[in-house]
Amino acid sequence: MILRTLMMAAAAAVGLAAAAPATAADVKLYALDCGTFAVPDADMFADDGAYKGRKVEMVVPCYLVRHPKGDLVWDTGVPESQEKLLGQLKALGLTPKDVEYVSVSHSHFDHIGNAGQFTGSAWIVDPDEKAYAFRPQARTNAAQFARYSALENAKTIEVAGEGPHDVFGDGSVQVIPAPGHTPGHTVLLVRLPKAGPVLLTGDLWHVAESRAAKRVPRFNVDRALTLKSYDKVEALAAKEKARVVRQHVPEDFTSLPKFPEPLT
Ligand SMILES: [Zn+2]
């Protein structure tokens, strides 16, 4: 009888745990200043000619996600921002070797510019992007290549298929393929306990109005795939009711808490 009661109590406890709403993990999102650049003619960012002759100011952020199970750096800025990036990590008591995971939306120089600092972290990457980053042509730009070449032999976690890759196993932080800008471009979903879901969208949209207008940069590797990724990310944003961050758009960056304050 006692055994049976214990078993029922155990079953009830298990049932209760399964039925209880998942407690949101104590996740924090820090927006780090990793530089700015001025684009004298933004024509390259729309293949319909909409930005011809337009001067655009862009921000280059890096992000730090702090989760009870570890830290993730998302995008590592332009090479020139190394001191800025490391300085902001240091202000939080971190060095690159304390960071468990690194991931970049894609391998362009303004996103992977300091990734070589994180060779002790596990690199979360879409296999198509890894192949793209280490293709023969990428190796010919020696100065840029040197900034991340050490990742080639770093511990690597590949994002499988259409994803998502669940970084900490609880759904709170997910790397999601959204290819087209580059072959393995990804976005990051961060579900915060108070602020709710946030989507860091890499270079899906460089200019604020590109999102609504569905404009495609001239230098994207695949136009059709880009449009498919727009639909995928918009559907996800709608389903999650997520805050969408266009990473190069100044207003999206400045509306986030100013470092060292995190979004929680
Ligand atoms: Zn970019």
Side-chain angles (χ1 to χ4, degrees):
M1 185 63 187
I2 290 169
L3 183 64
R4 187 178 145 76
T5 306
L6 280 173
M7 283 171 71
M8 283 172 70
V14 169
L16 200 70
T23 311
D26 182 22
V27 182
K28 297 182 174 72
L29 177 66
Y30 293 85
L32 312 181
D33 170 12
C34 282
T36 57
F37 55 70
V39 181
D41 181 354
D43 182 52
M44 72 181 96
F45 298 115
D47 63 7
D48 63 357
Y51 304 142
K52 192 167 176 49
R54 190 192 297 189
K55 188 172 181 256
V56 173
E57 300 288 337
M58 290 186 177
V59 292
V60 184
C62 303
Y63 288 91
L64 171 70
V65 179
R66 306 211 72 181
H67 182 284
K69 287 187 182 168
D71 296 316
L72 163 71
V73 165
W74 171 259
D75 281 351
T76 63
V78 290
E80 296 73 24
S81 66
Q82 183 179 318
E83 275 181 37
K84 271 189 167 178
L85 170 58
L86 298 186
Q88 287 164 102
L89 292 178
K90 196 178 171 191
L92 298 172
L94 294 171
T95 66
K97 69 174 166 44
D98 301 316
V99 173
E100 284 80 2
Y101 302 100
V102 66
S103 191
V104 297
S105 57
H106 62 299
S107 57
H108 284 161
F109 78 102
D110 54 321
H111 297 262
I112 203 168
N114 296 293
Q117 296 290 316
F118 297 90
T119 50
S121 315
W123 182 30
I124 301 170
V125 63
D126 185 298
D128 292 339
E129 196 65 18
K130 185 173 183 186
Y132 187 65
F134 290 100
R135 73 196 190 282
Q137 196 196 331
R139 294 170 194 273
T140 61
N141 191 335
Q144 282 183 18
F145 184 67
R147 306 304 299 225
Y148 66 87
S149 58
L151 285 182
E152 195 163 20
N153 300 310
K155 183 183 171 192
T156 300
I157 298 170
E158 292 194 347
V159 178
E162 304 274 301
H165 173 76
D166 185 354
V167 179
F168 297 104
D170 61 2
S172 62
V173 183
Q174 301 178 27
V175 177
I176 299 161
H181 182 55
T182 58
H185 181 280
T186 49
V187 300
L188 189 73
L189 172 67
V190 184
R191 291 190 177 124
L192 295 165
K194 290 186 203 139
V198 177
L199 267 168
L200 304 177
T201 57
D203 276 7
L204 284 192
W205 306 291
H206 298 78
V207 178
E209 67 194 72
S210 291
R211 182 183 172 196
K214 294 193 176 185
R215 294 210 173 99
V216 178
R218 295 187 189 279
F219 59 106
N220 279 20
V221 296
D222 190 320
R223 190 176 211 284
L225 209 50
T226 300
L227 292 172
K228 214 175 142 194
S229 290
Y230 288 170
D231 289 345
K232 177 180 177 177
V233 173
E234 292 292 4
L236 180 66
K239 179 170 154 263
E240 293 277 337
K241 296 185 174 64
R243 174 176 182 163
V244 172
V245 176
R246 298 158 295 189
Q247 289 188 212
H248 283 309
V249 174
E251 69 212 50
D252 287 8
F253 182 70
T254 55
S255 67
L256 291 165
K258 192 171 167 58
F259 184 86
E261 286 305 310
L263 189 66
T264 61

